[in-house]
Amino acid sequence: MDDLAVRTEPAADADAAALRSAGLKVTRGRLAALRLLQRMPHSDAETIHRHAVTDEPTLSVQSMHNVLTDLTRAGLLRRIEPERSAALYERRVGDNHHHVVCRACGKVADVDCVVGHAPCLAPSDAGGFAIDTAEVVFWGLCADCR
Amino acid sequence: MDDLAVRTEPAADADAAALRSAGLKVTRGRLAALRLLQRMPHSDAETIHRHAVTDEPTLSVQSMHNVLTDLTRAGLLRRIEPERSAALYERRVGDNHHHVVCRACGKVADVDCVVGHAPCLAPSDAGGFAIDTAEVVFWGLCADCR
DNA sequence: ACGTTATTCGTAATCACTCAAAACACCCGA
DNA sequence: TCGGGTGTTTTGAGTGATTACGAATAACGT
């Protein structure tokens, strides 16, 4: 039984610990979201839910939205919103990496800091704004689509 | 009569010419959109429509969406979609400038290429992607909000 | 002016997400 | 072991922005 649990959910304990240390209760829906985003980053709420229901048939789409919002607020997930697409979620948080989106198929990939130094962040305050974050999205064609 | 026309719409002829050279018919709705975005860039469809109806009372919101979509496709407008906000439109096209959004009031301002050289565009192809555009959004607080 | 064609209107529908209220689950102390 | 209380999920309805579509209308070339 331990064998089974370990085999199917190797990172479940780590996920549970992460939830607890964020002050959130460990629930099946939250574990499912974390587990699925491990294997398929840059997924939207509907996709995550579709895969989650095979394990948790009672999980509603609204609950999944709820879970994702909570986990994002808790800093366990990062939410990105490419133009013309639904919000996507990923587990990589804390580093300021960027994303590249395929114009043709919509596929998203991570892009680490592309210029040698801090990524495109202007420390100067442009037009009186006190800038704290730079958000960069690259657009192009993925290997499959060109 | 000429006086009146010139006084109220100094750039109307230029706008009409731009529409024609883009292969689009010159209609009141399109002129209104272009005229309003001249004075208030970074506006969303609803705002543009609200101002447009004082001149063009019959213009529907749906037509405004239609107009903005057409003009964007024709390259006369640029559409930006900051997270958690409706799509905004502006007339500055052709140069790849960026934007800074106020976290508090949502105000948007233009930011010209912030680093000396080409703005944050990595010529290398990251992860097999052929990148053609870099889109940068800065977040911070505007002068009024801090 | 006339006919062709593009554009707009009005209604309906969609999509992604939010909100509110009720049902539920789990931990704590009595 | 039994209740409470807090936090989570469900259910269902509702919102805001945008798109679809067929019919009506307006621009443009001739």
Side-chain angles (χ1 to χ4, degrees), chain A residues 103-131:
Chain A
R103 287 190 192 284
C105 69
K107 186 158 47 193
V108 176
D110 288 336
V111 175
D112 292 299
C113 191
V114 282
V115 276
H117 41 76
C120 314
L121 201 152
S124 65
D125 56 352
F129 280 69
I131 293 172

PDB file of all heavy atoms in Angstrom, chain A residues 103-131:
ATOM      1  N   ARG A 103       2.670  31.630 -32.543  1.00  0.00           N
ATOM      2  CA  ARG A 103       1.532  32.312 -33.178  1.00  0.00           C
ATOM      3  C   ARG A 103       0.589  31.317 -33.833  1.00  0.00           C
ATOM      4  O   ARG A 103      -0.605  31.585 -33.990  1.00  0.00           O
ATOM      5  CB  ARG A 103       2.037  33.257 -34.273  1.00  0.00           C
ATOM      6  CG  ARG A 103       2.704  34.501 -33.752  1.00  0.00           C
ATOM      7  CD  ARG A 103       2.947  35.469 -34.903  1.00  0.00           C
ATOM      8  NE  ARG A 103       3.826  36.546 -34.478  1.00  0.00           N
ATOM      9  CZ  ARG A 103       3.448  37.564 -33.722  1.00  0.00           C
ATOM     10  NH1 ARG A 103       2.206  37.638 -33.314  1.00  0.00           N
ATOM     11  NH2 ARG A 103       4.315  38.502 -33.367  1.00  0.00           N
ATOM     12  N   ALA A 104       1.120  30.186 -34.285  1.00  0.00           N
ATOM     13  CA  ALA A 104       0.299  29.248 -35.042  1.00  0.00           C
ATOM     14  C   ALA A 104      -0.480  28.315 -34.121  1.00  0.00           C
ATOM     15  O   ALA A 104      -1.702  28.218 -34.211  1.00  0.00           O
ATOM     16  CB  ALA A 104       1.179  28.445 -36.001  1.00  0.00           C
ATOM     17  N   CYS A 105       0.188  27.624 -33.214  1.00  0.00           N
ATOM     18  CA  CYS A 105      -0.488  26.588 -32.430  1.00  0.00           C
ATOM     19  C   CYS A 105      -0.723  27.007 -30.986  1.00  0.00           C
ATOM     20  O   CYS A 105      -1.401  26.293 -30.246  1.00  0.00           O
ATOM     21  CB  CYS A 105       0.303  25.289 -32.458  1.00  0.00           C
ATOM     22  SG  CYS A 105       1.884  25.348 -31.567  1.00  0.00           S
ATOM     23  N   GLY A 106      -0.176  28.125 -30.577  1.00  0.00           N
ATOM     24  CA  GLY A 106      -0.425  28.592 -29.216  1.00  0.00           C
ATOM     25  C   GLY A 106       0.460  27.968 -28.159  1.00  0.00           C
ATOM     26  O   GLY A 106       0.343  28.298 -26.980  1.00  0.00           O
ATOM     27  N   LYS A 107       1.327  27.086 -28.554  1.00  0.00           N
ATOM     28  CA  LYS A 107       2.214  26.428 -27.590  1.00  0.00           C
ATOM     29  C   LYS A 107       3.066  27.468 -26.848  1.00  0.00           C
ATOM     30  O   LYS A 107       3.488  28.466 -27.423  1.00  0.00           O
ATOM     31  CB  LYS A 107       3.108  25.442 -28.330  1.00  0.00           C
ATOM     32  CG  LYS A 107       3.972  24.605 -27.400  1.00  0.00           C
ATOM     33  CD  LYS A 107       4.434  23.312 -28.062  1.00  0.00           C
ATOM     34  CE  LYS A 107       4.993  23.496 -29.453  1.00  0.00           C
ATOM     35  NZ  LYS A 107       5.154  22.238 -30.181  1.00  0.00           N
ATOM     36  N   VAL A 108       3.308  27.211 -25.589  1.00  0.00           N
ATOM     37  CA  VAL A 108       4.068  28.137 -24.761  1.00  0.00           C
ATOM     38  C   VAL A 108       5.297  27.432 -24.223  1.00  0.00           C
ATOM     39  O   VAL A 108       5.224  26.266 -23.825  1.00  0.00           O
ATOM     40  CB  VAL A 108       3.209  28.644 -23.583  1.00  0.00           C
ATOM     41  CG1 VAL A 108       4.023  29.540 -22.671  1.00  0.00           C
ATOM     42  CG2 VAL A 108       1.971  29.367 -24.096  1.00  0.00           C
ATOM     43  N   ALA A 109       6.417  28.119 -24.221  1.00  0.00           N
ATOM     44  CA  ALA A 109       7.628  27.562 -23.633  1.00  0.00           C
ATOM     45  C   ALA A 109       8.271  28.610 -22.739  1.00  0.00           C
ATOM     46  O   ALA A 109       8.047  29.812 -22.910  1.00  0.00           O
ATOM     47  CB  ALA A 109       8.603  27.125 -24.731  1.00  0.00           C
ATOM     48  N   ASP A 110       9.054  28.135 -21.801  1.00  0.00           N
ATOM     49  CA  ASP A 110       9.760  29.053 -20.915  1.00  0.00           C
ATOM     50  C   ASP A 110      10.982  29.615 -21.616  1.00  0.00           C
ATOM     51  O   ASP A 110      11.619  28.938 -22.425  1.00  0.00           O
ATOM     52  CB  ASP A 110      10.208  28.314 -19.651  1.00  0.00           C
ATOM     53  CG  ASP A 110       9.021  27.984 -18.749  1.00  0.00           C
ATOM     54  OD1 ASP A 110       8.010  28.686 -18.853  1.00  0.00           O
ATOM     55  OD2 ASP A 110       9.111  27.039 -17.969  1.00  0.00           O
ATOM     56  N   VAL A 111      11.289  30.838 -21.293  1.00  0.00           N
ATOM     57  CA  VAL A 111      12.505  31.469 -21.792  1.00  0.00           C
ATOM     58  C   VAL A 111      13.213  32.076 -20.594  1.00  0.00           C
ATOM     59  O   VAL A 111      12.646  32.912 -19.893  1.00  0.00           O
ATOM     60  CB  VAL A 111      12.187  32.583 -22.806  1.00  0.00           C
ATOM     61  CG1 VAL A 111      13.464  33.302 -23.207  1.00  0.00           C
ATOM     62  CG2 VAL A 111      11.480  32.023 -24.016  1.00  0.00           C
ATOM     63  N   ASP A 112      14.410  31.614 -20.362  1.00  0.00           N
ATOM     64  CA  ASP A 112      15.142  32.219 -19.255  1.00  0.00           C
ATOM     65  C   ASP A 112      15.679  33.553 -19.701  1.00  0.00           C
ATOM     66  O   ASP A 112      15.811  33.831 -20.891  1.00  0.00           O
ATOM     67  CB  ASP A 112      16.261  31.280 -18.806  1.00  0.00           C
ATOM     68  CG  ASP A 112      15.677  30.032 -18.158  1.00  0.00           C
ATOM     69  OD1 ASP A 112      14.989  30.178 -17.138  1.00  0.00           O
ATOM     70  OD2 ASP A 112      15.880  28.932 -18.706  1.00  0.00           O
ATOM     71  N   CYS A 113      15.987  34.352 -18.738  1.00  0.00           N
ATOM     72  CA  CYS A 113      16.523  35.691 -18.951  1.00  0.00           C
ATOM     73  C   CYS A 113      17.377  35.734 -20.220  1.00  0.00           C
ATOM     74  O   CYS A 113      18.413  35.103 -20.316  1.00  0.00           O
ATOM     75  CB  CYS A 113      17.371  36.052 -17.736  1.00  0.00           C
ATOM     76  SG  CYS A 113      17.838  37.759 -17.707  1.00  0.00           S
ATOM     77  N   VAL A 114      16.894  36.463 -21.215  1.00  0.00           N
ATOM     78  CA  VAL A 114      17.509  36.354 -22.525  1.00  0.00           C
ATOM     79  C   VAL A 114      18.731  37.238 -22.720  1.00  0.00           C
ATOM     80  O   VAL A 114      19.696  36.839 -23.342  1.00  0.00           O
ATOM     81  CB  VAL A 114      16.486  36.674 -23.629  1.00  0.00           C
ATOM     82  CG1 VAL A 114      15.599  35.484 -23.840  1.00  0.00           C
ATOM     83  CG2 VAL A 114      15.693  37.900 -23.281  1.00  0.00           C
ATOM     84  N   VAL A 115      18.659  38.438 -22.225  1.00  0.00           N
ATOM     85  CA  VAL A 115      19.855  39.245 -22.283  1.00  0.00           C
ATOM     86  C   VAL A 115      20.683  38.921 -21.055  1.00  0.00           C
ATOM     87  O   VAL A 115      20.140  38.487 -20.036  1.00  0.00           O
ATOM     88  CB  VAL A 115      19.522  40.750 -22.327  1.00  0.00           C
ATOM     89  CG1 VAL A 115      19.235  41.161 -23.748  1.00  0.00           C
ATOM     90  CG2 VAL A 115      18.362  41.091 -21.445  1.00  0.00           C
ATOM     91  N   GLY A 116      21.972  39.133 -21.157  1.00  0.00           N
ATOM     92  CA  GLY A 116      22.852  38.702 -20.071  1.00  0.00           C
ATOM     93  C   GLY A 116      22.411  39.201 -18.708  1.00  0.00           C
ATOM     94  O   GLY A 116      22.293  38.454 -17.749  1.00  0.00           O
ATOM     95  N   HIS A 117      22.092  40.458 -18.641  1.00  0.00           N
ATOM     96  CA  HIS A 117      21.779  41.070 -17.344  1.00  0.00           C
ATOM     97  C   HIS A 117      20.304  40.977 -17.022  1.00  0.00           C
ATOM     98  O   HIS A 117      19.576  40.206 -17.626  1.00  0.00           O
ATOM     99  CB  HIS A 117      22.235  42.534 -17.390  1.00  0.00           C
ATOM    100  CG  HIS A 117      21.925  43.178 -18.709  1.00  0.00           C
ATOM    101  ND1 HIS A 117      20.670  43.569 -19.054  1.00  0.00           N
ATOM    102  CD2 HIS A 117      22.712  43.407 -19.795  1.00  0.00           C
ATOM    103  CE1 HIS A 117      20.700  44.048 -20.286  1.00  0.00           C
ATOM    104  NE2 HIS A 117      21.919  43.957 -20.766  1.00  0.00           N
ATOM    105  N   ALA A 118      19.873  41.767 -16.083  1.00  0.00           N
ATOM    106  CA  ALA A 118      18.470  41.731 -15.666  1.00  0.00           C
ATOM    107  C   ALA A 118      17.556  41.899 -16.866  1.00  0.00           C
ATOM    108  O   ALA A 118      17.811  42.730 -17.734  1.00  0.00           O
ATOM    109  CB  ALA A 118      18.190  42.834 -14.651  1.00  0.00           C
ATOM    110  N   PRO A 119      16.490  41.131 -16.922  1.00  0.00           N
ATOM    111  CA  PRO A 119      15.726  41.008 -18.160  1.00  0.00           C
ATOM    112  C   PRO A 119      14.898  42.248 -18.471  1.00  0.00           C
ATOM    113  O   PRO A 119      13.773  42.387 -18.005  1.00  0.00           O
ATOM    114  CB  PRO A 119      14.817  39.820 -17.883  1.00  0.00           C
ATOM    115  CG  PRO A 119      14.645  39.818 -16.406  1.00  0.00           C
ATOM    116  CD  PRO A 119      15.887  40.399 -15.826  1.00  0.00           C
ATOM    117  N   CYS A 120      15.438  43.077 -19.270  1.00  0.00           N
ATOM    118  CA  CYS A 120      14.660  44.146 -19.867  1.00  0.00           C
ATOM    119  C   CYS A 120      14.039  45.086 -18.856  1.00  0.00           C
ATOM    120  O   CYS A 120      13.131  45.840 -19.173  1.00  0.00           O
ATOM    121  CB  CYS A 120      13.532  43.580 -20.731  1.00  0.00           C
ATOM    122  SG  CYS A 120      14.052  42.265 -21.790  1.00  0.00           S
ATOM    123  N   LEU A 121      14.464  45.013 -17.610  1.00  0.00           N
ATOM    124  CA  LEU A 121      13.803  45.853 -16.630  1.00  0.00           C
ATOM    125  C   LEU A 121      14.530  47.175 -16.529  1.00  0.00           C
ATOM    126  O   LEU A 121      15.700  47.249 -16.176  1.00  0.00           O
ATOM    127  CB  LEU A 121      13.786  45.159 -15.274  1.00  0.00           C
ATOM    128  CG  LEU A 121      12.714  45.678 -14.312  1.00  0.00           C
ATOM    129  CD1 LEU A 121      12.319  44.582 -13.354  1.00  0.00           C
ATOM    130  CD2 LEU A 121      13.166  46.899 -13.549  1.00  0.00           C
ATOM    131  N   ALA A 122      13.802  48.228 -16.848  1.00  0.00           N
ATOM    132  CA  ALA A 122      14.394  49.553 -16.777  1.00  0.00           C
ATOM    133  C   ALA A 122      14.273  50.088 -15.357  1.00  0.00           C
ATOM    134  O   ALA A 122      13.165  50.292 -14.878  1.00  0.00           O
ATOM    135  CB  ALA A 122      13.693  50.497 -17.736  1.00  0.00           C
ATOM    136  N   PRO A 123      15.353  50.298 -14.677  1.00  0.00           N
ATOM    137  CA  PRO A 123      15.260  50.806 -13.310  1.00  0.00           C
ATOM    138  C   PRO A 123      14.807  52.262 -13.281  1.00  0.00           C
ATOM    139  O   PRO A 123      14.281  52.732 -12.293  1.00  0.00           O
ATOM    140  CB  PRO A 123      16.678  50.645 -12.764  1.00  0.00           C
ATOM    141  CG  PRO A 123      17.542  50.599 -13.959  1.00  0.00           C
ATOM    142  CD  PRO A 123      16.725  50.145 -15.114  1.00  0.00           C
ATOM    143  N   SER A 124      14.966  52.934 -14.385  1.00  0.00           N
ATOM    144  CA  SER A 124      14.513  54.313 -14.446  1.00  0.00           C
ATOM    145  C   SER A 124      12.995  54.362 -14.395  1.00  0.00           C
ATOM    146  O   SER A 124      12.321  53.439 -14.793  1.00  0.00           O
ATOM    147  CB  SER A 124      14.988  54.948 -15.752  1.00  0.00           C
ATOM    148  OG  SER A 124      14.368  54.285 -16.833  1.00  0.00           O
ATOM    149  N   ASP A 125      12.447  55.456 -13.873  1.00  0.00           N
ATOM    150  CA  ASP A 125      10.995  55.561 -13.841  1.00  0.00           C
ATOM    151  C   ASP A 125      10.542  56.324 -15.085  1.00  0.00           C
ATOM    152  O   ASP A 125      10.770  57.511 -15.237  1.00  0.00           O
ATOM    153  CB  ASP A 125      10.503  56.218 -12.562  1.00  0.00           C
ATOM    154  CG  ASP A 125      11.105  57.582 -12.338  1.00  0.00           C
ATOM    155  OD1 ASP A 125      12.034  57.940 -13.106  1.00  0.00           O
ATOM    156  OD2 ASP A 125      10.674  58.272 -11.437  1.00  0.00           O
ATOM    157  N   ALA A 126       9.875  55.611 -15.942  1.00  0.00           N
ATOM    158  CA  ALA A 126       9.442  56.198 -17.207  1.00  0.00           C
ATOM    159  C   ALA A 126       8.135  56.932 -17.008  1.00  0.00           C
ATOM    160  O   ALA A 126       7.175  56.367 -16.499  1.00  0.00           O
ATOM    161  CB  ALA A 126       9.286  55.096 -18.254  1.00  0.00           C
ATOM    162  N   GLY A 127       8.110  58.187 -17.406  1.00  0.00           N
ATOM    163  CA  GLY A 127       6.881  58.972 -17.346  1.00  0.00           C
ATOM    164  C   GLY A 127       6.298  59.124 -15.966  1.00  0.00           C
ATOM    165  O   GLY A 127       5.096  59.199 -15.802  1.00  0.00           O
ATOM    166  N   GLY A 128       7.156  59.135 -14.952  1.00  0.00           N
ATOM    167  CA  GLY A 128       6.660  59.305 -13.597  1.00  0.00           C
ATOM    168  C   GLY A 128       6.212  58.022 -12.935  1.00  0.00           C
ATOM    169  O   GLY A 128       5.801  58.030 -11.785  1.00  0.00           O
ATOM    170  N   PHE A 129       6.268  56.924 -13.642  1.00  0.00           N
ATOM    171  CA  PHE A 129       5.873  55.641 -13.068  1.00  0.00           C
ATOM    172  C   PHE A 129       7.014  55.060 -12.249  1.00  0.00           C
ATOM    173  O   PHE A 129       8.177  55.153 -12.647  1.00  0.00           O
ATOM    174  CB  PHE A 129       5.499  54.646 -14.163  1.00  0.00           C
ATOM    175  CG  PHE A 129       4.108  54.823 -14.711  1.00  0.00           C
ATOM    176  CD1 PHE A 129       3.776  55.930 -15.475  1.00  0.00           C
ATOM    177  CD2 PHE A 129       3.125  53.879 -14.460  1.00  0.00           C
ATOM    178  CE1 PHE A 129       2.500  56.095 -15.988  1.00  0.00           C
ATOM    179  CE2 PHE A 129       1.842  54.038 -14.977  1.00  0.00           C
ATOM    180  CZ  PHE A 129       1.531  55.136 -15.733  1.00  0.00           C
ATOM    181  N   ALA A 130       6.669  54.465 -11.114  1.00  0.00           N
ATOM    182  CA  ALA A 130       7.635  53.686 -10.347  1.00  0.00           C
ATOM    183  C   ALA A 130       7.470  52.228 -10.753  1.00  0.00           C
ATOM    184  O   ALA A 130       6.553  51.545 -10.308  1.00  0.00           O
ATOM    185  CB  ALA A 130       7.403  53.860  -8.847  1.00  0.00           C
ATOM    186  N   ILE A 131       8.348  51.767 -11.607  1.00  0.00           N
ATOM    187  CA  ILE A 131       8.201  50.435 -12.183  1.00  0.00           C
ATOM    188  C   ILE A 131       8.743  49.382 -11.217  1.00  0.00           C
ATOM    189  O   ILE A 131       9.811  49.542 -10.659  1.00  0.00           O
ATOM    190  CB  ILE A 131       8.956  50.360 -13.525  1.00  0.00           C
ATOM    191  CG1 ILE A 131       8.272  51.275 -14.544  1.00  0.00           C
ATOM    192  CG2 ILE A 131       9.008  48.938 -14.034  1.00  0.00           C
ATOM    193  CD1 ILE A 131       9.034  51.414 -15.836  1.00  0.00           C
TER     194      ILE A 131
END
